[in-house]
Amino acid sequence: ETGHEKAHASPMNSQHIKCADLQPGTDGLNMILKVVDRAVVSDCVYPNGSETVVALATVGDETGCISMITKKEHVPMVEPGTTLEIRNGKIDMYKGYMRLAVDRWSSIEVKAENARFDVNTAFNMSNAQYELVEFN
């Protein structure tokens, strides 16, 4: 036993969380989501020739939806109407609002078969503002 077995658990063992159950500060999120819309919010080419593309999308399931931020190679996969499987996503806070972040430690897989649910856009998890409370 090397101690790395847990980090490379089989996808069959991972449980999918629903949008309505998302909480600030959580990570390791595995979800099945449909893309509602997407907008490229930043497309920069640097003097060295490297490029960074950042897109903000609304994704969700039958329990609700959330804004999702994606970068680089993940952006082309996030097309409206597409069903995605997110692995190892996390919740980032932006100005007090939750965003699902898919970063270099995460993966996105476009599912060949569309999910059989309609996205509940009436319950947007990114519309609730959270306040950081410090205890002395």
Side-chain angles (χ1 to χ4, degrees), residues 10 19-20 22 29 36 40 43 45 57 61-62 87 98-99 107 111 116 121 129 131-132:
S10 164
C19 276
L22 294 172
L29 301 171
V36 178
V40 173
D43 191 353
V45 178
D61 58 28
E62 69 276 14
R87 293 207 178 279
M98 289 196 301
R99 279 189 181 168
S107 68
K111 301 304 281 180
R116 293 191 172 112
T121 55
Q129 187 171 21
E131 185 178 340
L132 179 64

Side-chain angles (χ1 to χ4, degrees), residues 3-111:
H4 296 287
E5 290 81 5
K6 191 170 187 176
H8 300 289
S10 164
M12 297 302 288
N13 296 334
S14 60
Q15 291 194 335
H16 294 108
I17 190 168
K18 297 291 186 181
C19 276
D21 297 326
L22 294 172
Q23 296 290 323
T26 54
D27 59 11
L29 301 171
N30 299 316
M31 306 179 77
I32 300 287
L33 303 168
K34 267 190 192 173
V35 181
V36 178
D37 59 40
R38 181 195 80 181
V40 173
V41 293
S42 176
D43 191 353
C44 298
V45 178
Y46 297 99
N48 68 2
S50 66
E51 183 180 19
T52 298
V53 179
V54 178
L56 188 62
T58 303
V59 296
D61 58 28
E62 69 276 14
T63 68
C65 62
I66 190 165
S67 295
M68 179 176 77
I69 193 91
T70 58
K71 298 176 184 175
K72 298 183 183 178
E73 71 276 0
H74 293 139
V75 172
M77 295 182 234
V78 183
E79 287 291 329
T82 305
T83 298
L84 305 173
E85 182 168 13
I86 309 295
R87 293 207 178 279
N88 203 31
K90 65 179 182 174
I91 297 297
D92 281 346
M93 300 303 291
Y94 178 73
K95 296 184 179 179
Y97 296 92
M98 289 196 301
R99 279 189 181 168
L100 176 61
V102 178
D103 60 15
R104 64 183 176 179
W105 309 111
S106 310
S107 68
I108 295 179
E109 179 186 339
V110 176
K111 301 304 281 180

